[in-house]
Amino acid sequence: GEIPGIAIDDDGNGYVDDINGIDTADDARGNDSDPFDQGANGFYHGSLVAGIIGARAQNGAGIAGLNWSVQLMAVRAIRASNLITLADELEALDYVLMMKQRGVNIRVVNMSYGGLRFSIAEREALAALDQAGILLCVAAGNDGRNNDTSPVYPASHPLRGLVAVAATDGEDQLAKFPVRGSSNFGRTNVDLAAPGLGIPSTFGPDANDYYAAFFGTSAATPHVAGAAALLAAAN
């Protein structure tokens, strides 16, 4: 419902020109409708995740994602410092729910982030997305932690529609990462695993020109999100 470039909130949802998504991160560029990945310390986490989910195939360039013709809503809530506040996260989740309720066909949310602090507000926001029929794919974490005894959030929220994702290596074993740590695990609070070591994807300020290897449960989770969206499209 937005007409881009005229600086008017045409669809009346509170955001001007949000044709691609929004940026809720409360920094120098926060609270606008430009979700462009700024990178954190030179690491373009958002574009790497997006490429695994939906990079185009059969175009002679780079890599192919799990779902070659998927539509992506980019919602940037993590600051350039690589930190995320609860307020910015909740605004991002509320935006997704609002657009779903307005008729946008949102089927899956990828959440490649997490921390140790429990929040009732976060759980309620995710429960609302779950109840709206949106699958929540969440990274289990990269600390070699047993999430059953030391929960990580949002992955450890006990929601029916939340899938917590661990990372595996090329031998289908729990991944150990080259910089630090290994994939989290847990019989109850982790649901499945996906490839998460040395995954090539789109990277940098111009994703047409740059590619890089990606590792962690942040790389494993978009494999699940992309596959889930593909299944939703097929059925």
Side-chain angles (χ1 to χ4, degrees):
E2 285 288 326
I3 301 173
I6 63 173
I8 296 174
D9 180 15
D10 302 284
D11 61 2
N13 70 351
Y15 296 89
V16 174
D17 291 345
D18 55 320
I19 58 170
N20 298 311
I22 62 168
D23 170 14
T24 70
D26 188 20
D27 57 18
R29 288 183 55 259
N31 301 305
D32 60 34
S33 298
D34 180 8
F36 190 83
D37 186 1
Q38 295 185 59
N41 300 320
F43 187 72
Y44 290 85
H45 189 274
S47 61
L48 287 161
V49 167
I52 293 172
I53 292 173
R56 290 184 180 180
Q58 299 177 333
N59 60 358
I63 57 108
L66 271 288
N67 191 336
W68 302 348
S69 58
V70 71
Q71 289 183 305
L72 291 170
M73 172 187 286
V75 183
R76 177 180 177 270
I78 299 178
R79 303 180 185 190
S81 62
N82 207 30
L83 297 176
I84 182 170
T85 69
L86 180 61
D88 291 345
E89 179 195 12
L90 293 179
E91 183 183 355
L93 296 175
D94 287 346
Y95 177 81
V96 174
L97 179 62
M98 173 182 65
M99 298 307 287
K100 174 72 170 181
Q101 293 171 337
R102 283 170 163 255
V104 180
N105 185 30
I106 302 170
R107 306 304 299 273
V108 184
V109 171
N110 185 93
M111 290 178 283
S112 289
Y113 63 87
L116 303 181
R117 185 172 297 177
F118 169 78
S119 165
I120 293 177
E122 179 185 65
R123 184 184 67 189
E124 291 179 347
L126 294 173
L129 294 178
D130 178 18
Q131 293 168 5
I134 299 173
L135 185 70
L136 310 169
C137 297
V138 188
N142 303 331
D143 304 308
R145 182 187 303 270
N146 184 338
N147 287 7
D148 294 345
T149 57
S150 301
V152 171
Y153 299 99
S156 295
H157 288 302
L159 299 173
R160 175 183 58 90
L162 187 151
V163 181
V165 184
T168 52
D169 60 19
E171 303 298 323
D172 203 28
Q173 301 298 308
L174 203 66
K176 295 181 179 179
F177 305 126
V179 177
R180 62 174 180 83
S182 58
S183 173
N184 289 6
F185 57 94
R187 289 183 180 272
T188 300
N189 284 342
V190 177
D191 299 297
L192 49 73
L197 190 63
I199 308 300
S201 189
T202 48
F203 180 83
D206 184 351
N208 291 319
D209 297 329
Y210 296 93
Y211 300 89
F214 191 21
F215 65 86
T217 56
S218 283
T221 304
H223 282 86
V224 178
L230 185 62
L231 285 170
N235 186 21

